[in-house]
Structures are given as C-alpha cells and as structure tokens.
C-alpha cells in the first residue's frame, strides 16, 4: 500500500479515486483496512489540504474533535457531542470530517457477514443480537448511526462544502436501498472541506451510553433553538442521523424486540434537551 501526501487540493483530487482512500486522523480507516473491510492500494493523506480550525461559523473538516470541544465559539450542541464522543486520545486524532463518514459499529458488518449493508439480501441483526440497533428506518438495515456530532450538526442545520458542491448535512445521509447500499451521498473521491454551522439561540446534546464515558450512543439527542423554533435530531436510533419534530414522533418508531427500550430511553432525554434550550 502506498501513502501519498499531496501539497495542494488539486494534487489530492488527482490522487483520489481508482482504488485510493482519503486518510485524515486514521482512527476509523486504519482499523477498517486492517480488518480488510476497506481495500485501498493508495492512502491519500488529506491533512495538509483539508482546512483545519474554526473561523466564525465556518469549521474546517480537518478540525479535530478535541479542538471543537474546547472552542467556546462552537455551539454547545456540537461542543458537547464532541466531548461525549470516544476517548481523549481518539478525539485528539479524529477529525470532524472523518467522524461524519465513520462506518456502522454493527458487529455483523464489522465481522464481514454478507448482510444487506455488505450487498447481501439479509439483515442478520434483525433475527440476531441487536440490542444497540435501530428503532427508525430499520426495514432493510437495522444498524444505528454511531456519530454524536452528526446529530448535533443535523439539529443545528449545518451545511457542508465539498470540493464539488454545497449540501445540507441532512443530504449527506441516505438510507441504504436495494440499488445502493451506501449510507452517504458522497461521491467517490469527493472531499469534505468545510462545515458552515449556524449560531442558534441555545443548543445542547445529551447522550445515553453503556458506560459513563467513552461509549457510542445508545441514544443521543441534540436540540437547537432558533428564532423559528427548536430542531431535534437523534443519534444511535437509525442507520443515519435522524431528525424528529417532537417527542410524539417516537410513537412512529419501529423497534426490534431488543431495541424497544430505546424508545423509552429517548423520551426523558428529549425532554431534558428541550428543557435545556427553552
Ligand atoms: C473506540 C472508538 C470509539 C469511538 N466512539 C465514538 C463515539 O462515542 N461517538 C462518535 O461520534 N464517534 C466515536 N468514534 C469515532 C471517531 O470519532 C472517529 O473514528 C473519528 O472522528 C474519525 O476521524 P478520522 O479523522 O480519524 O477519520 P479517518 O479514519 O481518517 O477517516 C474516516 C473516513 O472518512 C474519510 N474521510 C476523512 N476525512 C475526509 C474528508 N475531509 N473528506 C472526505 N472523506 C474523508 C476516510 O476516507 C474514511 O473513509 C469512536 C471511534 C473509536 C475507534
Ligand atoms: S444491521 Fe445493517 S449492518 Fe448490521 S447486519 Fe443488518 S444489514 Fe448488516
């Protein structure tokens, strides 16, 4: 495997595609390469060309979670989501761009079962062990999206700038379908460069996890209050970050037998988040 370290965005774009992968902090990609869940003949280290740092409402996609959690200018929902994610070591290496693109933690997928998300016809989790899995959007793939910051950015109504277009964070994600098993709309070789994060009047992120620290969200709730109302988004409840209008939307959940508890777990978290921002 080759490692290239381009010095310009143009050189990075030229090196991407054709069996290569973008590498940022490597906290997600390197384990996936080791377990052969991702194949790449070339790694393109994009840290020299993807913007890093915070400038007003603009955040470079190469900014680490540790940098975001300690910046008072960052809306509280995003700061808190970063603080509650992973471990200090991972947060000091892991970037926000890489975090948004992390793969599912579903153990069937990580053990390379030929499941729906891997292109097969069956979701092994539905009949198997699925305590950490989804309660929404889980008909074909019942995985739960693991990113805390993604839910915060969804509630905040953030947009992304890539090397090809601008798109709302909401449009970065899609449920996998028969024709396309990807959970993002990013094109091959497309680079996330910056995030534009509106400033809310108030915002917060609360999270239920198996341990008090360093665990993926069983349920995460982001709430952001703007002049026209409060926006809510959830982590850990669907194959992608999930927007809801209110607690009442939980009545539309389609939990599996082992995930029904998440519906009840989400209720008090939503109330607590709403209380914090109103
Ligand atoms: C043990 C463990 C616990 C964790 N716990 C949590 C948690 O509780 N909550 C949570 O939210 N996250 C958690 N994470 C995820 C962690 O935050 C991510 O691994 C990290 O943020 C990924 O960033 P990275 O820079 O290391 O990405 P990389 O590993 O470098 O890349 C990840 C993916 O993104 C792509 N990529 C990276 N940057 C760009 C870019 N700018 N444009 C296009 N593609 C890009 C890569 O090609 C790759 O596919 C955990 C991870 C681990 C290993
Ligand atoms: S939940 Fe998704 S990733 Fe897990 S086994 Fe089912 S299809 Fe595969």
């Amino acid at each position: 495997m080759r490692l290239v370290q381009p010095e310009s965005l143009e050189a990075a774009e030229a090196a991407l595609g054709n069996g290569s992968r973008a590498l940022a902090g490597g906290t997600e990609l390197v384990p996936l390469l080791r377990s052969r869940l991702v194949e790449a003949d070339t790694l393109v280290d994009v840290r020299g060309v993807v913007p890093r740092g915070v400038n007003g409402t603009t955040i470079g996609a190469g900014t680490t979670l540790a940098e975001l959690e300690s910046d008072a200018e960052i809306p509280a929902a995003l700061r808190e989501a970063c603080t509650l994610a992973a471990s200090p070591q991972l947060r000091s290496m892991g970037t926000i761009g890489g975090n948004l693109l992390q793969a599912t933690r579903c153990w069937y997928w990580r053990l390379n079962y030929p499941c729906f998300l891997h292109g097969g016809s069956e979701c092994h989790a539905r009949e198997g062990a699925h305590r950490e899995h989804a309660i929404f959007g889980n008909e074909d793939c019942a995985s739960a999206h693991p990113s805390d910051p993604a839910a915060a950015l969804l509630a905040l109504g953030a947009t992304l700038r890539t090397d090809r277009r601008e798109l709302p964070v909401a449009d970065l994600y899609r449920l996998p379908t028969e024709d396309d098993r990807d959970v993002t709309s990013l094109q091959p070789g497309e680079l996330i460069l910056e995030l534009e994060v509106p400033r809310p009047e108030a915002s917060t992120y609360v999270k239920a996890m198996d341990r008090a620290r360093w665990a993926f969200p069983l349920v995460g709730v982001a709430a952001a209050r703007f002049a026209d109302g409060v926006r809510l988004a959830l982590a850990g409840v669907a194959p992608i970050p999930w927007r809801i209008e209110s607690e009442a939307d939980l009545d539309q959940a389609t939990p599996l037998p082992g995930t029904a508890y998440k519906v009840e777990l989400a209720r008090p978290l939503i109330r607590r988040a709403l209380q914090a921002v109103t």
Side-chain angles (χ1 to χ4, degrees):
M1 193 183 300
R2 241 164 34 103
L3 175 70
V4 296
Q5 295 180 297
E7 288 178 2
S8 69
L9 182 57
E10 292 70 26
E13 286 171 323
L16 283 167
N18 298 325
S20 64
R21 291 291 290 236
L23 174 79
T27 60
E28 164 78 344
L29 185 58
V30 172
L32 292 178
L33 288 164
R34 276 209 197 111
S35 49
R36 298 191 183 279
L37 285 162
V38 169
E39 303 280 348
D41 51 37
T42 305
L43 296 183
V44 182
D45 184 345
V46 295
R47 284 174 297 180
V49 298
V50 167
R52 177 173 179 173
V54 180
N55 181 7
T57 55
T58 306
I59 297 173
T63 312
T64 65
L65 302 191
E67 288 163 342
L68 292 175
E69 74 181 275
S70 59
D71 190 323
E73 293 298 303
I74 299 294
L78 182 56
R79 249 189 303 119
E80 291 163 5
C82 291
T83 306
L84 290 169
S87 63
Q89 293 88 341
L90 286 161
R91 296 198 297 273
S92 69
M93 285 299 288
T95 63
I96 186 70
N99 180 283
L100 295 181
L101 298 175
Q102 61 182 293
T104 176
R105 307 307 296 191
C106 173
W107 39 82
Y108 295 103
W109 188 89
R110 296 252 163 188
L111 291 170
N112 220 352
Y113 275 59
C115 70
F116 183 84
L117 204 61
H118 273 307
S121 55
E122 196 185 333
C123 171
H124 300 277
R126 287 191 76 84
E127 299 299 323
H130 57 240
R131 174 181 168 274
E132 283 80 5
H133 284 62
I135 58 172
F136 287 109
N138 52 5
E139 198 175 319
D140 293 319
C141 166
S143 65
H145 200 271
S147 170
D148 297 296
L153 290 166
L154 192 56
L156 290 163
T159 52
L160 299 178
R161 186 171 72 80
T162 77
D163 58 337
R164 300 175 197 177
R165 59 191 166 136
E166 285 184 13
L167 72 164
V169 165
D171 292 351
L172 175 64
Y173 296 105
R174 58 182 299 282
L175 286 174
T177 58
E178 196 63 43
D179 297 340
D180 182 353
R181 308 297 165 97
D182 211 336
V183 293
T184 82
S185 64
L186 217 63
Q187 297 153 5
E190 185 174 6
L191 275 178
I192 301 178
L193 299 178
E194 287 178 337
L195 294 83
E196 192 60 35
V197 184
R199 291 256 167 84
E201 292 170 353
S203 70
T204 193
Y205 184 77
V206 291
K207 174 176 178 181
M209 43 188 160
D210 274 330
R211 293 184 299 273
R213 308 297 289 176
W214 308 352
F216 288 97
L218 293 172
V219 177
V221 178
R225 175 163 60 81
F226 291 89
D228 58 353
V230 175
R231 276 202 299 261
L232 289 166
L234 308 182
V237 301
I240 56 177
W242 202 253
R243 269 273 280 133
I244 58 168
E245 292 303 321
S246 69
E247 185 190 330
D249 284 2
L250 290 175
D251 299 339
Q252 309 304 317
T254 54
L256 304 176
T259 61
Y261 78 98
K262 283 196 177 187
V263 179
E264 300 317 315
L265 194 56
R267 291 188 194 284
L269 289 177
I270 292 170
R271 285 180 212 148
R272 201 196 308 166
L274 286 173
Q275 206 171 22
V277 300
T278 52

